[in-house]
Amino acid sequence: MDSLSSDLVRRNGSKRSCEACRKSKTKCDHTLPICGRCARKSILCFYDPAPMTRKFRPMSIIKSRTQRKTRNSGSPGASWILSPNAQAVVVSTPPLESAGFLGPTSYRSLMTGAVNDGDPGPSDNDRTIYTIDPKQLDLGLRILDFLAANALLLRALVRQVYELGLMPIIPEVLMLPALDILWDVFGNYIVQDESLRLRTVVDIFENSYQPIPITLAMNAGELCSLISGKNVRWEMIGSVITVATVRLIHTPERDVIHIDPQQRRKDKLLTQMLEITDQLLPLSNALPVVNELMVCLKYSQMMLASQRFGDSRIHQYNDHMAQYPGFMNLWRRRCFASVYSTDKTIATTLGRPPSLTRHYCVLKPPLDIDDDIDAPTYEQSLQMIDSNGWNSDGKRRHSTFIRLRFLLSTIREEILELHLGVGSADMERKAHDVLQKLQSLWDSCPSYMKYSPDMWNSQLPALEILVLLYLFVDYLYSMFLLYRLKSQESQKGKPKDLLHVAKTILSTVVVINEHRERAREVRSDFSSIFLPFGLPSAELLAMELLQPSLQGLSHSSLPRAEIIRELTLYTSCLSWIARPGSVNVAFCNKVKARLTRILDQILDPSYAAPGSSNSQSGAGREANWACLELADSDFTIHNLLCSDDGSNWDSGFDLFCGPVF
């Protein structure tokens, strides 16, 4: 922040004001990231990298002197650099109430039923701060320069899509009118200096980081004016460019010359457009708002990718694979198994249908043999495989772990179909059949692949123990989902089997605390075990303890005191399971605070939550406010998922931080 503050000094030595204060000619206190005046008035506050009143622009995005003449040509190949003093732009928006649909298998589904209409939700005064870094600004500037320089070509290509009836995903009643007013935002954009063009880029970022204000009485024309023209968003610009690129791929060379005012060759033009679409990907992935327009953009990007790269057919295993060497066959199976299993993990966490389904895939698990096997020993290695597909030499290989995870994922897909599908007939019998398959699979698994707490006292590497623990709780969580499904069909409350498996998951997860120093030697973040598996189990047990009649649990074989101790231990573990400095820390702190208040209520039924209403009485009121704590609107998917490299998911729980997978 100190270096950023030093960059806000003007040529005369005074500090630069934010744009809101500058335009209103009001004194600014120069506070970062939001000045005091803007914070009090809850208005957008940002410090423009190139204020329009300044003639000297040392903080703007500048171009290489050797490429000055290529910038306005619209060529994406022009060379551009960022000034060493280039500054980020801060955007303040209202908080999003929800980041999307979370289904019945998701991490927060247990508490959803406790939310009532009286939940106040986010305050109108709450604001979410986003920082648009100089790299994003530069990408936006490149994209707009290309869009402005190729307006006629892009308009013609998009119109061809609708004239030919190619069934585009955006309805014609929205796309064509929006396309007509899209260029209103440019005006004399091409002849403007860089500071004014950059101001246009910032305006589009501000539009894109706000929800589209849709009302019930709105018509298509009004919607067009909210997504294009002066209100144009990156989703709209991205859709236009991507749809035009897909059309260009299928446009004959002779026709390209007629519709391109610059009469460029198709291969040269396509190279430029593909480069721009590649630059659109990181920009669109960073947008926090998910709406129908964003879905259309992602669909168009998927269609473009399929046209560019084709299909590897990795989900199929056909006779032509006999042409490949043995290690290539193993590699392809391993690739598919990893992708398929990860798909089921994401689908379970979000409560959404999986992307890869068994109905269209050949579900051949990886062979339990060494990765570096050569042709002469391939057949010999196959002789070591037993009737269940496991190697009889008792050795744990990378392929052994991936194979077991894949097999568990095939059962998980059937469980997801029961939870998320529309067919509810004979649900109890179907759940029972899947449970039998799951238990049969686990029984056929070699004993050395089954986790035991005693492994921590052995000489096994810590990483192997963590992987085996992960696989074990993954198996238990499948049982948890099946028993939960049965409990939804039953009118007799939570079945004993469901409570037992939840207790087993919680007990298994908190064991890591005892050996955390050893575990930390190989991993720095354990959120992917404690949150997807531990949190639903802790929620279920806590809710059961909060029921009006606690005698039901105390009379079962589940020890109430032990459950409370493990819930307390689980809550304390949330202080260290997240990697220091990672985005998981804030999420874990919120979960810890809410679980702490619930435990206070369990231990002292007379305890009242701060600010809770006294109009209700009894355990019903007590359970209600406690459940509302965990069903808080902060628990959105943006608080849950984030890629390990930070490129795919928004800030929150790092799903891909598992032991090895």
Side-chain angles (χ1 to χ4, degrees):
M1 188 66 72
D2 292 337
S3 62
L4 185 57
S5 299
S6 64
D7 288 341
L8 298 181
V9 179
R10 302 171 62 184
R11 292 184 65 188
N12 60 8
S14 62
K15 291 185 177 180
R16 186 194 310 166
S17 298
C18 74
E19 283 299 285
C21 292
R22 184 185 67 81
K23 291 180 179 180
S24 62
K25 300 186 183 300
T26 305
K27 183 176 177 58
C28 181
D29 62 11
H30 317 289
T31 303
L32 293 174
I34 301 177
C35 75
R37 175 177 172 271
C38 293
R40 289 192 301 273
K41 293 181 174 293
S42 297
I43 60 177
L44 176 66
C45 180
F46 71 96
Y47 294 83
D48 199 311
M52 289 178 262
T53 58
R54 288 177 42 172
K55 295 181 180 179
F56 180 65
R57 298 177 289 112
M59 298 181 192
S60 64
I61 299 177
I62 63 174
K63 54 189 173 183
S64 172
R65 293 182 178 179
T66 61
Q67 301 287 340
R68 285 185 182 273
K69 295 183 179 181
T70 61
R71 179 68 181 254
N72 290 332
S73 66
S75 171
S79 175
W80 299 87
I81 61 173
L82 292 178
S83 167
N85 295 323
Q87 177 190 327
V89 173
V90 176
V91 176
S92 173
T93 70
L96 298 177
E97 294 183 2
S98 173
F101 170 77
L102 296 177
T105 66
S106 71
Y107 67 104
R108 63 171 293 182
S109 62
L110 287 172
M111 296 299 180
T112 302
V115 180
N116 57 32
D117 295 334
D119 186 12
S123 169
D124 292 337
N125 295 325
D126 294 339
R127 307 291 292 180
T128 302
I129 305 302
Y130 298 99
T131 300
I132 314 300
D133 60 42
K135 184 177 180 181
Q136 289 177 291
L137 294 174
D138 183 55
L139 286 176
L141 207 53
R142 297 186 193 189
I143 293 167
L144 283 197
D145 284 357
F146 179 84
L147 189 68
N150 295 275
L152 295 177
L153 171 66
L154 296 173
R155 193 197 302 250
L157 287 170
V158 173
R159 284 191 172 277
Q160 276 191 5
V161 172
Y162 287 85
E163 290 170 358
L164 296 174
L166 298 178
M167 295 182 293
I169 188 171
I170 301 180
E172 181 176 344
V173 68
L174 289 178
M175 174 59 95
L176 295 187
L179 186 67
D180 290 336
I181 65 174
L182 171 63
W183 320 105
D184 293 349
V185 73
F186 292 105
N188 57 347
Y189 176 88
I190 295 180
V191 299
Q192 291 175 349
D193 63 23
E194 189 175 283
S195 65
L196 295 178
R197 299 204 307 277
L198 188 60
R199 176 65 257 181
T200 303
V201 172
V202 174
D203 288 342
I204 297 176
F205 271 108
E206 292 175 6
N207 295 338
S208 304
Y209 276 61
Q210 306 274 351
I212 301 175
I214 298 176
T215 63
L216 183 62
M218 181 180 294
N219 57 42
E222 293 171 332
L223 179 57
C224 288
S225 66
L226 294 176
I227 62 176
S228 191
K230 300 297 183 182
N231 297 312
V232 69
R233 308 167 66 92
W234 287 121
E235 306 102 284
M236 184 66 201
I237 292 174
S239 295
V240 168
I241 295 177
T242 307
V243 169
T245 305
V246 174
R247 178 57 198 152
L248 180 62
I249 291 176
H250 299 283
T251 301
E253 177 80 38
R254 65 181 183 275
D255 294 339
V256 173
I257 298 177
H258 295 304
I259 62 176
D260 181 18
Q262 302 179 39
Q263 296 189 338
R264 287 163 288 185
R265 291 173 47 193
K266 177 181 176 178
D267 56 350
K268 179 181 178 180
L269 179 58
L270 186 58
T271 299
Q272 295 176 0
M273 293 184 67
L274 289 174
E275 187 172 344
I276 288 295
T277 57
D278 288 341
Q279 293 169 355
L280 271 165
L281 283 172
L283 193 148
S284 62
N285 288 341
L287 298 179
V289 180
V290 179
N291 51 41
E292 290 78 5
L293 202 55
M294 174 61 78
V295 173
C296 292
L297 172 58
K298 291 301 179 183
Y299 172 83
S300 299
Q301 289 173 340
M302 178 190 69
M303 295 299 294
L304 176 60
S306 67
Q307 297 296 321
R308 292 179 68 181
F309 308 117
D311 183 4
S312 67
R313 291 188 294 174
I314 201 169
H315 63 296
Q316 297 289 340
Y317 193 86
N318 301 322
D319 294 336
H320 79 281
M321 289 303 301
Q323 305 170 6
Y324 291 83
F327 75 90
M328 284 293 296
N329 291 341
L330 298 178
W331 186 16
R332 287 180 66 91
R333 285 203 200 183
R334 181 170 177 167
C335 287
F336 172 71
S338 299
V339 173
Y340 178 89
S341 300
T342 300
D343 175 59
K344 304 308 168 291
T345 299
I346 295 174
T348 303
T349 306
L350 302 184
R352 301 178 184 175
S355 300
L356 282 173
T357 67
R358 68 186 191 279
H359 303 292
Y360 305 100
C361 303
V362 177
L363 299 182
K364 284 194 174 184
L367 295 175
D368 187 16
I369 57 181
D370 293 323
D371 296 331
D372 58 351
I373 191 171
D374 53 19
T377 58
Y378 180 76
E379 293 297 330
Q380 181 180 353
S381 298
L382 293 180
Q383 301 300 319
M384 299 292 294
I385 303 297
D386 64 20
S387 59
N388 293 317
W390 303 102
N391 201 309
S392 57
D393 63 1
K395 178 182 176 182
R396 297 188 189 93
R397 302 169 172 81
H398 292 302
S399 57
T400 314
F401 295 112
I402 295 175
R403 175 185 175 86
L404 179 54
R405 186 187 181 215
F406 173 79
L407 292 173
L408 290 172
S409 297
T410 61
I411 306 295
R412 178 67 61 80
E413 182 180 345
E414 297 187 48
I415 298 173
L416 289 170
E417 288 182 358
L418 295 178
H419 273 277
L420 307 177
V422 295
S424 58
D426 205 7
M427 187 67 70
E428 186 173 354
R429 182 191 62 80
K430 293 178 181 177
H432 176 77
D433 292 344
V434 176
L435 180 61
Q436 292 295 319
K437 291 177 63 175
L438 177 65
Q439 292 175 333
S440 176
L441 168 63
W442 190 254
D443 291 341
S444 66
C445 178
S447 59
Y448 57 84
M449 290 298 295
K450 296 179 180 179
Y451 167 80
S452 168
D454 295 335
M455 290 180 173
W456 291 105
N457 301 320
S458 67
Q459 299 300 315
L460 277 177
L463 182 59
E464 283 196 18
I465 299 176
L466 285 172
V467 176
L468 292 171
L469 183 149
Y470 179 94
L471 292 170
F472 179 54
V473 293
D474 195 33
Y475 157 70
L476 291 175
Y477 194 65
S478 290
M479 296 181 65
F480 177 89
L481 292 175
L482 287 169
Y483 287 137
R484 241 183 69 194
L485 192 65
K486 286 187 174 182
S487 70
Q488 294 169 0
E489 300 293 320
S490 173
Q491 304 295 327
K492 300 179 181 180
K494 300 292 186 299
K496 184 185 301 184
D497 290 335
L498 175 59
L499 298 174
H500 271 288
V501 75
K503 168 69 169 58
T504 305
I505 292 175
L506 187 63
S507 301
T508 303
V509 167
V510 297
V511 164
I512 299 177
N513 180 71
E514 183 180 349
H515 308 280
R516 61 176 173 174
E517 294 305 321
R518 184 179 175 189
R520 276 178 163 175
E521 294 177 1
V522 293
R523 299 299 301 177
S524 61
D525 194 310
F526 301 88
S527 305
S528 61
I529 296 177
F530 274 81
L531 295 179
F533 303 122
L535 182 55
S537 302
E539 288 174 351
L540 179 72
L541 295 171
M543 289 173 66
E544 191 68 16
L545 291 173
L546 283 168
Q547 295 304 312
S549 175
L550 300 180
Q551 290 77 16
L553 185 59
S554 61
H555 290 337
S556 71
S557 59
L558 292 175
R560 185 173 186 271
E562 184 177 343
I563 292 176
I564 294 176
R565 286 196 300 270
E566 290 186 344
L567 285 172
T568 305
L569 179 57
Y570 175 83
T571 303
S572 68
C573 288
L574 295 173
S575 300
W576 63 264
I577 62 170
R579 182 173 58 249
S582 72
V583 292
N584 293 346
V585 174
F587 182 80
C588 288
N589 287 338
K590 291 181 180 181
V591 175
K592 180 181 178 181
R594 287 152 176 76
L595 283 177
T596 298
R597 286 191 282 269
I598 291 178
L599 284 168
D600 289 341
Q601 181 64 35
I602 293 173
L603 294 173
D604 183 6
S606 63
Y607 174 77
S612 61
S613 172
N614 293 325
S615 60
Q616 294 176 321
S617 61
R621 172 185 61 80
E622 296 157 0
N624 183 60
W625 76 256
C627 291
L628 280 173
E629 289 291 340
L630 277 176
D632 188 274
S633 59
D634 286 337
F635 286 73
T636 67
I637 195 57
H638 284 288
N639 294 99
L640 185 68
L641 294 180
C642 154
S643 168
D644 214 17
D645 61 4
S647 62
N648 295 321
W649 300 100
D650 207 337
S651 59
F653 170 38
D654 186 349
L655 177 63
F656 303 108
C657 181
V660 292
F661 301 120

